[in-house]
Amino acid sequence: MAADLVDQLREKIRSGELSPGDKLPTERALVEDLGISRTVVREAVARLSAEGWVEARQGSGVFIKEPPQAFQIDPNELADLHDVLQLLELRLAVETEMAGLAAERRTEADITELEKWLEILRDASTSEDGGVKADAALHASIARAAGNQYFVRFVEFLGSKLVPRRDAAMVKRTEEKQRRYLDTIQEEHAAIVDAIRAGDPRAARSAARRHLERSLKRARRIADTVADLPALTS
C-alpha cells in the first residue's frame, strides 16, 4: 500500500537515516527490496514530492529535501483508507473541544448561521456531492462560533477534505438504507447545533464526540470490505 511506504520513508527522513541531499533508492531497488509493485512506489514518491519531502531531478533520480515545516494534507492521501481514518481521529480531537467552546461563546448571529447551514444540509444530502459542501460549511460555522481564529483557519485549510465524499459509504445500500444513513448523520449534526444553541458546552462536546466516534466506526466497518476508500462520510 502506498500509504505504508510513504510512512516508512517519512520516518527514515525524520530519524536521519535518509538525510537532505541523499538519493532515494531507485524504483527498481524499492520494488525488489520491499516486494511491492512499481505502481505503489510511484504513488508513494508522487505523494512525498507533493508534500515537499523529495524532489525529482531529471536524469539523476529522486533526492531527499529538508523536511517540510508546514502542516499539509495532499488530496491524494484521502484516496487511501488509512489516511482517511487518521484524519477522522484528528477531527475527533480538535472538533470535540471546538464544539464546547462554540457553546460557551456563540452569538445570536452564530446560531442563525448554524441553523441556516443545518437546513441547507438537510436539503443538500441528496445533491450531486451528497451535501459535502454544506457539511463543510456547517463545521466552519462551528469553528467561527468558537471564537478562535486558529480553529477557523484549521477548518478552512481542510475545506472539503474535512468531509470526504460519501460514495463508499453508500455502496450496496438500498435506497431505504441510504435514506436512514443520511438521516442518522443529520440527527448527529442537529444534536451538536442544539447543544451550541442551548449554551451547553458539555453537551456540545458530547454530541461532537459521539458524531465523530460513530463516523470512525462507520469507516472501520467499510474498511472490512473496501481496500482503498475513495469516499467516506464525516
Side-chain angles (χ1 to χ4, degrees), residues 5 24 35 40 49 68 84 90 97 145 157 162-163 195 198 207 226 229:
L5 180 56
L24 196 68
V40 168
S49 179
V84 173
L90 174 62
E97 183 60 22
F157 167 76
L162 187 76
V163 190
V226 179
L229 188 62

Side-chain angles (χ1 to χ4, degrees), residues 24 47 53 61 64 71 90 105 114 143 149 188 196 199 201:
L24 196 68
R47 184 178 303 178
W53 293 92
I64 309 301
F71 178 78
L90 174 62
R105 301 170 179 174
L114 289 168
Q149 63 164 321
E188 292 171 8
I196 293 173

